[in-house]
Amino acid sequence: MPTVKCNVANCTYWGEGNNCVADAILVEIDKHANNKYDMEASGDLIGDAKHKDSAHKSAETCCHTFKRKQ
């Protein structure tokens, strides 16, 4: 599993050392930032989440795995 760094400390999946501890991560383009996508526990995408987009730079992307800490 690759190391994923995250600076969003109020995310459920944020871990010590700014490491993302999610089992699976969904990154999307900003155009779809407000879409709600589902992933199965295995990390497989469900329904509309199965598509391909293009971004020209990292600023055009966002993490859909974010879940605010309770």
Side-chain angles (χ1 to χ4, degrees):
M1 180 179 249
T3 300
V4 177
K5 293 296 190 179
C6 177
N7 295 327
V8 184
N10 69 327
C11 179
T12 299
Y13 304 110
W14 183 85
E16 189 173 325
N18 289 25
N19 291 302
C20 178
V21 297
D23 291 332
I25 300 165
L26 176 59
V27 177
E28 186 56 90
I29 61 171
D30 286 348
K31 177 180 174 183
H32 298 153
N34 293 318
N35 292 4
K36 300 221 184 280
Y37 296 121
D38 292 319
M39 284 193 295
E40 294 179 346
S42 65
D44 292 334
L45 299 174
I46 300 172
D48 291 342
K50 295 180 181 179
H51 63 269
K52 294 181 181 179
D53 292 304
S54 295
H56 299 287
K57 52 190 172 186
S58 62
E60 298 173 350
T61 64
C62 56
C63 177
H64 266 264
T65 308
F66 173 80
K67 182 178 176 186
R68 188 180 175 112
K69 282 184 186 177
Q70 297 297 324

